[in-house]
Each structure stands twice: as C-alpha cells, then as structure tokens.
Amino acid sequence: MTSDAARPLWRGRVLALLGIALFAFSLRSAVGSLSPVLDHIRVDFDVSGWVVGAIGTAPPVCFAVFGLLTPRWERRLGLERMTVIALLVVSAGLVARGFAGDALTLAATTALIFAGVGVGNVLLPPLVKKHFPDRIGLVTTLYSTTMAFSTFLPPLFAVPVADAADWRWSLGMWAVFSSLALVPWIVMLVRERGSRGVDIEQPTARVFGRLWALPMTWAVTVTFLVSGAIAYTCFAWLPSLLVDTAGVTPAQAGALLSLFGMMGLPAALVVPVLVARYRIVPWLFAVAVGSGLAGVSGLLFAPTLAPWLWVALLGTAPLFFPLALVLIGLRSRTHEGAVALSGFVQSIGYAVVAVVPLTVGIVHDLTQSWTAALVILGVVILASIPAGVVVARQETVEDEWERRHRRTW
C-alpha cells in the first residue's frame, strides 16, 4: 500500500506531469493557428506581406531574446513562478490577438505570445529536471511529442472554426489550453510557498568565447537554423503560397500546413535514437536535403500536380531540428561545453532564423510571385550540406579546440 508520506509526493508528480504536458502544448499551439486564417482576417482589415513576414519573424526573435533573459529572471523568482508568468503572458496574448482590430495590433499581440513562449522554451527542461530527476528521458519524450502534436493540430482546425464562427474565435480558443495549464502550477506554487526553482545554468563568457572560431560550433548552428528557417517560413507563408499556386482552398491549405507539421512527429521520435546508436548523421543529412529540395522543386515547377506530396517532402527537411538537439550533446564532451554549445546554437540560430520569413515576405511583395521565395528556401537547404560534412566527424568542440590550441580545454 502507498504510505501517507508517499501520497503527497505522488500527487505532486501527477500535477507536475499534467502541468508540463499542458505547458508544452501551449508553447506550440499559437505557431500554426494564424497563417491559415489570414484570408479571413483580410476581410476585416489589410494585412500586408511585410506584416506577415514580421509575424513569421516574431517567434525566433522572441526565442532568442527571452531565451537569454529567462535564466536571470528564474534565479530571482523560481521555476514555478516564472512558469505561471509565462502562461499568463501567453494566455493574455492569445485572447488579445482575437480582438485585434488592425495589422499592427495583430503583430504586437503575436509578439507578446511568443515572448511567453520564449520563456517557456527555457523553463521546460529544468522543470523536468526538478520534478522528474529519475525520468528525464521519458518525460522529455512526452513533452516533445506533445509539442509535435500541438504544432500540427491548430492548422487542422483553424479554418473550419473560422468558417463556422469567426477568425477571432479561431485564434483565441487556444487560450483555453494555456489557461488550463495554469491550474497545476498555481496549485504547486501554493503548496511550495517560498521554495526556489532549479537555477538554469548559463555558459560562462570564457567558454562561450572559445566556440566562435570552431567549425563544429558553426556546423551545428547551421543545422539548427536551417530547420528553423524552413519551419517558421512555412508556418508564416505556406497556406498563402498553396492557395495562390496550387489552387487549393484555405481549408485545404490549413490541412496541408498541418501535414507539414505532422512530418516532424516521427522525426522527433526516431532521429535522436538513430544518431545516438547508429551514428548515421550523413544519411540523415542526405534525407533532409534531398526531400527538402524535392519539395521545393515540386512547389516551384508543378504545384498543382501533387501539393500534398511536395508539402510532405518539405516537411521532412526540419528533421534537422531533433538532429541539431542531439548533436549538441554528442558534439560536446564536458557539461560546461554542452551548456555553452546549446546557448550558442540557439541564440545565434534563432537570430538568423528571424531574417528568413521577413525576407520572404518582402521579396513576395516586391515581385508579386512565389518563385523567388521558393528559391530562397532552396538556397537555405543547400547551405546545410557543408555543415553536414563537418558534423559527420566524430569530434567534440572540446577536442577541436584542444587540437587547435594544443592545450587542455
């Protein structure tokens, strides 16, 4: 039988597991819910390509900026308090976006949402570490799978809800999940009055500075940013591109965007295992590059022939994301090296990723065509090939630095 002392611990872990799952769902549900209903929004007010590009740029910018700020805030307030604040910001942003009356407000509320999401991205791993130190792998798989589901579900429902009710309901309804996610964390916060969270470690300036001149660092960073550039450009622009070039309806375009997001689910489950056990990095790069270029080529030269196939192929290319995450661990030897490499890759990577959706929007507005935008995506995918050659080497950043400087890390 369960002892009286064990019951509070068991209940606390159930609350934490529920809170982590709902938190993870809330961090991605806002990403793919906007672009499928842009045509509905444009009935009420004009949303230019520049604004859509800026909205597509908001996630990586916020992830980069608030990813750097969150560790300082967490040390002052603790994990659970910061989690509640992040969810309050996301919920407020989702509701406010549903009441947007012009393009500027739409962009501002979207930026507010992703500010909260940027904080949440940093908080999830230490939340798992604090509440499930003996089940880190299992719970991490759970929340990453939940994030994958919440990436492809919103585009699937966005247009049907907008058609049946209104685009405002379609955008605002996701606040229900972020509001529900508040409940377990508030309960735990009340129970743990005065307790502090686990400090989120920051890379030291000395270690961070060593990474700048290492090819391995930049190769992992390029792998990460190529994935982000493809993903956030597609979440911002793919529905509009498909409606204009493939002749699909907005509802079909939303379903195809959902298919794009769904392709990341098997990659999230399989890629880390394949890389860690079988060391098949070059083959995974070949699959990602080949499928990505095939998808871009199909949308460029025969968009109406098989749009679902082109989208599925393009959606395979972001397998670079779980690949980059596992490479951060495999291409670092020490704990401080792993922390520094992770901070470098995500801060630099997201900063560069932010430029691509905005560039695509500007180019589309100037040319009134999707050809140049697709060419940009193709060039981004090709840029990963040299990075693949470097990361295929079984060498850590510490090994590379020691070989170059002939002294111990």
Side-chain angles (χ1 to χ4, degrees), residues 178-200:
S178 55
S179 299
L180 286 173
L182 280 165
V183 176
W185 295 115
I186 291 175
V187 171
M188 293 177 67
L189 194 59
V190 171
R191 287 182 175 181
E192 300 181 12
R193 291 177 187 173
S195 68
R196 284 188 39 76
V198 178
D199 282 349
I200 303 171

Side-chain angles (χ1 to χ4, degrees), residues 222-237:
V222 169
T223 304
F224 182 87
L225 70 86
V226 167
S227 172
I230 296 169
Y232 289 110
T233 299
C234 287
F235 278 112
W237 291 110

Side-chain angles (χ1 to χ4, degrees), residues 121-170:
N121 283 340
V122 180
L123 294 177
L124 267 174
L127 283 170
V128 174
K129 178 180 178 180
K130 175 181 178 180
H131 294 283
F132 299 93
D134 56 335
R135 295 288 188 273
I136 290 176
L138 178 63
V139 179
T140 299
T141 299
L142 169 68
Y143 87 68
S144 61
T145 303
T146 302
M147 291 172 86
F149 272 106
S150 66
T151 299
F152 71 76
L153 284 178
L156 205 58
F157 291 97
V159 174
V161 172
D163 287 340
D166 186 66
W167 65 264
R168 300 182 186 278
W169 282 100
S170 181

Side-chain angles (χ1 to χ4, degrees), residues 35-93:
S35 57
V37 297
L38 281 174
D39 287 342
H40 294 71
I41 297 173
R42 287 184 174 118
V43 173
D44 289 347
F45 53 83
D46 180 56
V47 183
S48 69
W50 293 71
V51 173
V52 177
I55 290 173
T57 298
V61 169
C62 290
F63 296 168
V65 172
F66 288 92
L68 294 173
L69 295 175
T70 300
R72 299 178 183 178
W73 295 340
E74 185 276 338
R75 279 195 295 273
R76 292 183 180 180
L77 299 174
L79 273 172
E80 283 74 16
R81 289 186 183 87
M82 280 305 304
T83 300
V84 169
I85 291 170
L87 284 166
L88 284 171
V89 171
V90 171
S91 300

